[in-house]
Amino acid sequence: MKLLIIGASRGIGKVLLQEALKEDHQVRVLARNPEKVASSDGRLDLVRGDVRDQQSLAEAAREMDVVCSCIGVPITFKPVDLFSVAATNLVTLSRQQPELKLIAVTGIGAGDSKGHGGFLYDRIFKPLFLKTIYEDKDREEEIITSSGSNWLIVRPAGLTNGPRTGNYRVITDLEGTVAKRISRLDVADFILSQMVSPTQFGQTPLITY
């Protein structure tokens, strides 16, 4: 499939890029600084641009089957708007290209997954260090879920650098659930599996062991 990744210089986006190429998908990356994308694979199409800019996003997404937003920001105490601005532009894009599948990676604690991350995460780490980030992730999810697009929001549990196992839980009913851990590679595994065999679109699954 033809996959556009936004946010491929690090984290989940980086491993998604690596695994997608291994599976022979046609991969394009939209990046403000393409030189920071660590891949020497000649099949990769690197495009300079910014998800905040509607025109560069639309050009990068041309002829793609799936666009996956893996964007992130460092811990900050300042107001954040990257996620909501990106979501607005991605929704606009999906209306221009109705056949496009939209996947966005948010995280445990976004939307109605708030309170399912465990005591330390929910009561200490998230409110002290991630407050403004998750306020904007909430806005991102609301924009996407109310858009009418063909969307999937992926909420990973606490991330690790562990292996790709393909063995994890996909949870949509969060009652009684406390998120554990998930490797970035298994998040990529889930995204790639949904690209090929979509069963969770229109939902906000938590991915955890």
Side-chain angles (χ1 to χ4, degrees):
M1 298 191 74
K2 298 176 182 178
L3 168 65
L4 172 65
I5 303 174
I6 306 167
S9 62
R10 59 194 294 272
I12 292 169
K14 180 178 179 179
V15 298
L16 176 61
L17 164 61
Q18 296 167 349
E19 297 303 296
L21 288 171
K22 287 180 184 178
E23 295 187 4
D24 292 324
H25 294 289
Q26 184 175 324
V27 183
R28 181 177 296 159
V29 166
L30 177 68
R32 288 180 302 163
N33 301 295
E35 61 275 5
K36 292 184 178 181
V37 178
S39 177
S40 58
D41 195 306
R43 297 172 296 170
L44 174 62
D45 182 14
L46 273 171
V47 176
R48 186 181 298 276
D50 192 333
V51 71
R52 289 180 178 272
D53 177 66
Q54 188 70 54
Q55 183 176 348
S56 65
L57 175 61
E59 290 174 355
R62 189 174 294 119
E63 299 181 351
M64 294 288 103
D65 300 311
V66 182
V67 55
C68 185
S69 175
C70 302
I71 55 177
V73 297
I75 289 175
T76 180
F77 302 103
K78 297 178 180 179
V80 174
D81 69 354
L82 173 63
F83 303 103
S84 55
V85 170
T88 299
N89 287 344
L90 288 165
V91 165
T92 299
L93 173 68
S94 69
R95 289 171 179 156
Q96 296 167 346
Q97 298 179 220
E99 72 287 354
L100 190 68
K101 294 183 177 72
L102 170 58
I103 302 175
V105 180
T106 59
I108 182 66
D112 63 3
S113 69
K114 182 179 180 180
H116 293 274
F119 179 83
L120 290 176
Y121 181 79
D122 293 335
R123 301 293 182 88
I124 300 174
F125 190 75
K126 182 171 174 274
L128 288 180
F129 299 104
L130 303 177
K131 182 176 184 294
T132 58
I133 291 174
Y134 270 81
E135 285 173 348
D136 200 44
K137 284 179 182 275
D138 287 345
R139 291 188 287 268
E140 173 190 21
E141 289 203 356
E142 184 176 354
I143 290 165
I144 292 172
T145 57
S146 63
S147 68
S149 304
N150 189 13
W151 59 266
L152 167 63
I153 291 175
V154 182
R155 295 168 170 169
L159 293 166
T160 76
N161 291 320
R164 181 176 177 177
T165 69
N167 185 19
Y168 44 82
R169 294 184 293 156
V170 179
I171 302 171
T172 53
D173 182 356
L174 296 173
E175 185 175 357
T177 297
V178 177
K180 296 181 181 179
R181 297 286 181 177
I182 189 74
S183 72
R184 292 173 178 84
L185 279 164
D186 270 336
V187 178
D189 178 270
F190 175 72
I191 292 169
L192 291 169
S193 70
Q194 287 299 305
M195 282 172 41
V196 176
S197 301
T199 61
Q200 299 290 328
F201 274 73
Q203 300 191 78
T204 57
L206 166 66
I207 313 301
T208 187
Y209 294 129

